[in-house]
Amino acid sequence: MAIDNNIVFLNGEFGPMSEAKISPMDRGFLFGDGIYEVVPSYNGQLVGFGLHIERMQNGLNAIGIKLDMDLDDWRDIAIKLLEKNSIANLGLYFHVSRGADVKRFHAYPEDIQPTVFAYTFEIPAAPKADKQSVKQYRVTSTEDLRWKRCQIKSTSLLGNVMHFQQGHDAGVQETILYNQRNELTEASACNVFIVKNGTVITPPLDNQLLPGITRHMLLDILRKEGSLQVEERVISMSEVRSADELWLTSSSKEIAPVVELDGKPVGTGQVGDIWQLAQTFYSAHKHNY
Ligand code: PLP
């Protein structure tokens, strides 16, 4: 999308990306002091919109940013952006920073207006539950060196960026992370699932990982559908390395099959049958959220 064709939202106004300007004193710029969301939309249909906005509000509450906007206000911005940018499949990016102060001082300032930014970017068509055409992921793994509040979808993403870069430098597409006890946390920009003997397993929610909307929806869909055993529990890295299947989940990827971890095949090294089933169920039900 050319920069001037891309209509964005900034602090109440819609306009071309090239004209959207923020202050260099914005605390989002200076401190990464903000919260963000990414919501996928396919042919104008938003996926999990209410869940994404609820998570963003939880993040704003957690870091004490007061913003007088509700679900309908966000939906209004989303719908207008989808109309103005009229491309079939768009990701919506929402970003709220604490706002611009007159000085650089760590404490939260009183009485500054949060900066609210939203824009759209083109995304591939919705993933299909097709073993032949699905993108197969290769990943590396490393100790999770991020902070202890990974449940907050903070715009301070340097830890995630550096971990992603480790994988990128190694020529793979993601980096899977584990804590000091050798337990799986998540990946630099995705949640992680394993499959063992037909059971779908993912780490429980705590401060070590983002409460992914795709993770939430997938667990809910699988539990309601009922044909697969599902567990949320601590997973050791040795279990990850001996898993039959390994998946990444995120709003843009949905359920992405991983066929190689640290240069070794995952399971048979092929996209698995349980992945196909799970992606089939996910594709069928994701618009109910
Ligand atoms: N974990 C991290 C660190 C992420 O950045 C993301 C998505 O950006 C996810 C997990 C997946 O979250 P969601 O399914 O809400 O996109």
Side-chain angles (χ1 to χ4, degrees), residues 36-38 40 52 55 146 150 153 157 160 174 177 186-192 209-216 249-254 282:
Y36 77 105
E37 269 304 326
V38 179
H52 281 278
R55 180 174 65 185
R146 301 172 302 160
C150 292
K153 199 164 169 69
L157 283 171
N160 302 62
E174 246 295 13
L177 305 171
E186 57 176 344
S188 73
C190 303
N191 291 114
V192 180
L209 63 153
L210 189 78
I213 303 303
T214 318
R215 174 192 181 283
H216 169 82
T249 65
S250 78
S251 296
S252 54
K253 294 186 177 64
E254 299 195 348
Y282 192 86

Side-chain angles (χ1 to χ4, degrees), residues 22 25-37 55-67 74 93-100 106 108-109 112-117 147 149-158 160 210:
I22 60 162
M25 296 309 288
D26 195 283
R27 289 177 60 101
F29 179 62
L30 294 177
F31 295 119
D33 183 357
I35 298 293
Y36 77 105
E37 269 304 326
R55 180 174 65 185
M56 184 160 60
Q57 191 56 57
N58 291 342
L60 293 170
N61 295 345
I63 68 169
I65 293 183
K66 293 184 193 68
L67 182 71
W74 287 111
Y93 176 84
F94 297 125
H95 179 131
V96 180
S97 82
R98 199 177 302 277
H106 288 57
Y108 302 169
I112 60 168
Q113 271 300 107
T115 301
V116 180
F117 172 61
W147 69 334
R149 296 178 184 188
C150 292
Q151 77 275 29
I152 299 175
K153 199 164 169 69
S154 158
T155 56
S156 306
L157 283 171
L158 188 57
N160 302 62
L210 189 78

Side-chain angles (χ1 to χ4, degrees), residues 262-282:
D262 293 330
K264 301 201 176 71
V266 174
T268 61
Q270 309 290 317
V271 177
D273 292 338
I274 308 286
W275 169 82
Q276 191 165 27
L277 208 52
Q279 181 64 59
T280 303
F281 296 145
Y282 192 86

Side-chain angles (χ1 to χ4, degrees), residues 50-264:
L51 293 168
H52 281 278
I53 299 302
E54 187 185 339
R55 180 174 65 185
M56 184 160 60
Q57 191 56 57
N58 291 342
L60 293 170
N61 295 345
I63 68 169
I65 293 183
K66 293 184 193 68
L67 182 71
D68 191 16
M69 285 177 68
D70 64 15
L71 180 61
D72 288 338
D73 298 323
W74 287 111
R75 198 185 297 278
D76 192 49
I77 294 171
I79 289 167
K80 289 201 173 101
L81 282 177
L82 294 183
E83 278 167 12
K84 289 175 192 295
N85 291 293
S86 65
I87 290 177
N89 304 314
L90 286 171
L92 281 142
Y93 176 84
F94 297 125
H95 179 131
V96 180
S97 82
R98 199 177 302 277
D101 199 357
V102 290
K103 57 184 184 307
R104 184 181 176 280
F105 178 59
H106 288 57
Y108 302 169
E110 302 281 325
D111 302 329
I112 60 168
Q113 271 300 107
T115 301
V116 180
F117 172 61
Y119 91 109
T120 58
F121 56 98
E122 191 166 9
I123 56 172
K128 288 200 178 64
D130 172 25
K131 282 190 189 178
Q132 309 316 320
S133 63
V134 69
K135 179 171 171 183
Q136 304 183 4
Y137 280 75
R138 292 182 303 130
V139 304
T140 186
S141 68
T142 194
E143 185 180 338
D144 193 341
L145 296 178
R146 301 172 302 160
W147 69 334
K148 292 182 179 164
R149 296 178 184 188
C150 292
Q151 77 275 29
I152 299 175
K153 199 164 169 69
S154 158
T155 56
S156 306
L157 283 171
L158 188 57
N160 302 62
V161 165
M162 290 175 76
H163 279 320
F164 188 89
Q165 186 65 30
Q166 282 176 278
H168 191 71
D169 287 342
V172 299
Q173 296 91 27
E174 246 295 13
T175 306
I176 284 182
L177 305 171
Y178 50 85
N179 65 20
Q180 287 183 326
R181 293 185 298 277
N182 259 297
E183 297 159 353
L184 174 68
T185 58
E186 57 176 344
S188 73
C190 303
N191 291 114
V192 180
F193 285 69
I194 65 166
V195 178
K196 190 69 187 175
N197 300 328
T199 301
V200 177
I201 317 166
T202 197
L205 292 183
D206 61 17
N207 65 320
Q208 302 178 96
L209 63 153
L210 189 78
I213 303 303
T214 318
R215 174 192 181 283
H216 169 82
M217 287 167 49
L218 177 60
L219 288 172
D220 196 51
I221 288 168
L222 293 182
R223 284 182 174 131
K224 284 184 177 143
E225 204 283 333
S227 60
L228 291 171
Q229 194 71 23
V230 176
E231 288 177 9
E232 285 173 85
R233 65 162 173 82
V234 172
I235 303 173
S236 69
M237 278 309 285
S238 57
E239 286 182 281
V240 175
R241 295 188 198 288
S242 61
D244 301 328
E245 297 187 27
L246 180 60
W247 308 336
L248 304 170
T249 65
S250 78
S251 296
S252 54
K253 294 186 177 64
E254 299 195 348
I255 311 165
V258 178
V259 296
E260 187 187 293
L261 167 60
D262 293 330
K264 301 201 176 71

